[in-house]
Amino acid sequence: MEVRMNILWVIIGSGMVIVPYYLFDTPADPWPSVIAGGIGGALFLIALFTTIMLKTPFPKRTKILSAIVFVIVFAAGALSWQTMYEMCHYQQKLLGTIRTTIGDGVLRSFTSKVMLPPFHEYYARNQRRQMPIGKLFLALHKDRIHGGHFKPDTLDQQASFLNDISDTSITLTMVDTVARGRDAAFKNTNGQTGRLQAKAILTERGVQYEREN
Amino acid sequence: MNEKIEIKPPGRTSEFSPEFTSGLIMATCAILLVVFLPKASGLYGGRNFRNIMAPAHIIAAGITVEHAIDEFQGIELTPLGGKTKVILLFAILLDFVIVPACFLFCWRYLFMKKSQVGDSAGGRSRQLGGRFIFILSGVAIAYVCIIHTGLALTSSAVLRTMRLDNTLDQNRSFVVAGLAAIDFKANQYFYLPGKRGGGDHSFRSHQDPTGKNWVTLSELGMPAETEVGRYSIKTVKNDTILIMRGVGKVRRVNGTNPEYEYYTSPTISRILKIN
């Protein structure tokens, strides 16, 4: 009789873990299902421990000591879960921040590399300013411009688009296809969502770099 | 007359008790846990963590960090595989159901049978089995607890250090980024003609009629102080080399602040870490 009860306990316990585990299952993140399964398991453990302590005629001292050990073990486990959760998510966030910082630096450097030469040319060599800065930019970078696209240095992780081309100003919109921006719902120019995007405007007065997301 | 009569020796049963059988199954799981846990403890942040019996939260943490690295490298995230999900589930079952149940049932069994079974051979065998499972599962629980507590304490300390280090590193990065932004503006200033508010191929201030003073941050349209650091133009070596200084606001352990010097000219830029 007792064996059947024991098996029933294990079956119930397994159910308390398996059902929430699969109820909160998400495709890429393991934590919702692990936490749900862990909570189910913890509840089962409390119920099982309480039942065993109540139904077994252990001496009172044993019961008190067991309860203390149980609480310590439980607290250690809970602390470990919480710390590990915090730790890995902190690392995840940190890696994201590092990638965004790198991405922003790359876009700034790209802006400088692409926009400063025509600016320099406009004032240094084009003494009479016969050629407008917009045309100068297009002339200097004609090999890199195809349609509305501006060929970036790193093809696989950056997309650049030329907007508002005129004689007096050039606007270049750059998207880092990997780094995340500030707003996760931001619609990027290249069709992606939530990626780092910056805009650089070249005029006769200089270059203006502005992070859009 | 041909019927076989099985004679059982007194005090001995022909099969193991159901308690012992069910306990044995649970003990197998406990052995798995005990055998594989040493590897698990060494796999914190290591490789192939999904293939061994590590505690569920450690496997999940490993997967999260692995995903973060993939995302960093621009690799598309793939859904978790069925095998990983089953391993995770099994780890939770082992930690929360199988091993603790095994321990508690055996403990109760040993306590209850202590006075009832007496000295018979079967009773001794069952008690021995029960005691074996009890000790084994107890060791498994103790081991998991040591790992849990150890990891929790280590991780908390590591996390605190990481946060401090990262705050300082981030401050350094922001100071450098701030100096790079000033460099970007300074370069434009250098090329811009004086009548347009530039330096006309010089870093001298266009606002200074004597032409002796150098460009200021306000002329470049840059703030001297931001929430992350303080910036200044230290000196100008000649008309074409500008030296800027950036001091971070986060203090290092020795009480000093991170400090950088940034040398900029129309042709080359160089950063120097002072502190």
Side-chain angles (χ1 to χ4, degrees), chain B:
Chain B
M1 285 297 280
N2 293 332
E3 196 181 336
K4 273 188 177 177
I5 298 164
E6 196 180 337
I7 301 164
K8 292 175 185 175
R12 202 175 175 85
T13 48
S14 60
E15 56 185 23
F16 287 117
S17 73
E19 288 97 330
F20 187 74
T21 315
S22 60
L24 202 65
I25 296 165
M26 290 176 183
T28 314
C29 301
I31 291 166
L32 277 174
L33 192 72
V34 173
V35 169
F36 285 107
L37 265 175
K39 286 187 186 176
S41 61
L43 276 172
Y44 170 57
R47 293 173 190 169
N48 300 325
F49 53 84
R50 292 184 207 188
N51 299 328
I52 55 138
M53 300 296 115
H57 63 296
I58 293 177
I59 303 176
I63 294 168
T64 306
V65 173
E66 199 183 57
H67 281 178
I69 293 168
D70 283 351
E71 211 175 336
F72 185 90
Q73 292 174 335
I75 300 168
E76 202 69 36
L77 286 187
T78 47
L80 293 175
K83 191 182 159 193
T84 309
K85 283 182 183 174
V86 170
I87 286 173
L88 271 169
L89 179 62
F90 184 65
I92 303 173
L93 284 174
L94 214 57
D95 276 357
F96 286 91
V97 182
I98 299 168
V99 175
C102 185
F103 178 78
L104 290 170
F105 291 153
C106 286
W107 188 17
R108 179 178 153 80
Y109 166 77
L110 286 172
F111 184 82
M112 298 297 276
K113 295 282 173 180
K114 199 175 174 184
S115 54
Q116 293 173 17
V117 177
D119 286 337
S120 70
R124 277 202 302 275
S125 141
R126 278 197 294 276
Q127 278 202 16
L128 197 69
R131 204 166 288 145
F132 173 69
I133 300 162
F134 174 71
I135 292 168
L136 206 61
S137 49
V139 167
I141 290 171
Y143 204 90
V144 169
C145 289
I146 290 164
I147 284 196
H148 278 182
T149 320
L151 273 179
L153 295 174
T154 318
S155 304
S156 297
V158 169
L159 196 63
R160 268 199 304 276
T161 317
M162 267 178 70
R163 278 192 171 147
L164 275 173
D165 288 350
N166 181 48
T167 310
L168 187 66
D169 283 348
Q170 236 176 7
N171 190 239
R172 284 186 183 281
S173 306
F174 284 134
V175 170
V176 172
L179 286 169
I182 300 172
D183 165 60
F184 187 55
K185 286 282 181 188
N187 262 295
Q188 292 174 53
Y189 178 88
F190 183 87
Y191 292 123
L192 209 63
K195 60 182 176 184
R196 283 188 175 268
D200 208 359
H201 293 85
S202 158
F203 286 121
R204 285 180 191 278
S205 168
H206 75 271
Q207 285 178 353
D208 177 28
T210 62
K212 286 179 183 170
N213 290 321
W214 310 108
V215 67
T216 59
L217 286 174
S218 61
E219 278 177 79
L220 296 177
M222 299 302 286
E225 187 168 351
T226 64
E227 54 187 13
V228 292
R230 282 178 292 273
Y231 303 97
S232 57
I233 288 176
K234 193 180 169 189
T235 180
V236 179
K237 275 205 164 181
N238 52 49
D239 281 5
T240 57
I241 299 175
L242 183 75
I243 305 171
M244 299 166 289
R245 201 169 73 121
V247 181
K249 284 188 175 174
V250 175
R251 277 187 190 276
R252 297 174 67 206
V253 185
N254 63 9
T256 59
N257 294 54
E259 190 179 339
Y260 288 90
E261 273 188 8
Y262 203 106
Y263 292 72
T264 185
S265 76
T267 49
I268 197 159
S269 296
R270 189 173 159 233
I271 190 148
L272 193 69
K273 185 181 169 185
I274 305 294
N275 186 23

Side-chain angles (χ1 to χ4, degrees), chain A residues 38-88:
Chain A
I39 290 172
L43 291 175
F44 162 77
L45 212 53
I46 293 168
L48 177 69
F49 181 80
T50 314
T51 311
I52 296 268
M53 284 299 128
L54 290 176
K55 292 209 166 177
T56 314
F58 287 126
K60 202 177 173 185
R61 222 176 84 181
T62 312
K63 284 186 179 179
I64 293 170
L65 266 174
S66 309
I68 291 169
V69 171
F70 182 79
V71 169
I72 291 170
V73 167
F74 210 80
L79 182 70
S80 172
W81 275 60
Q82 193 255 336
T83 312
M84 204 49 73
Y85 178 84
E86 213 180 314
M87 179 90 160
C88 70

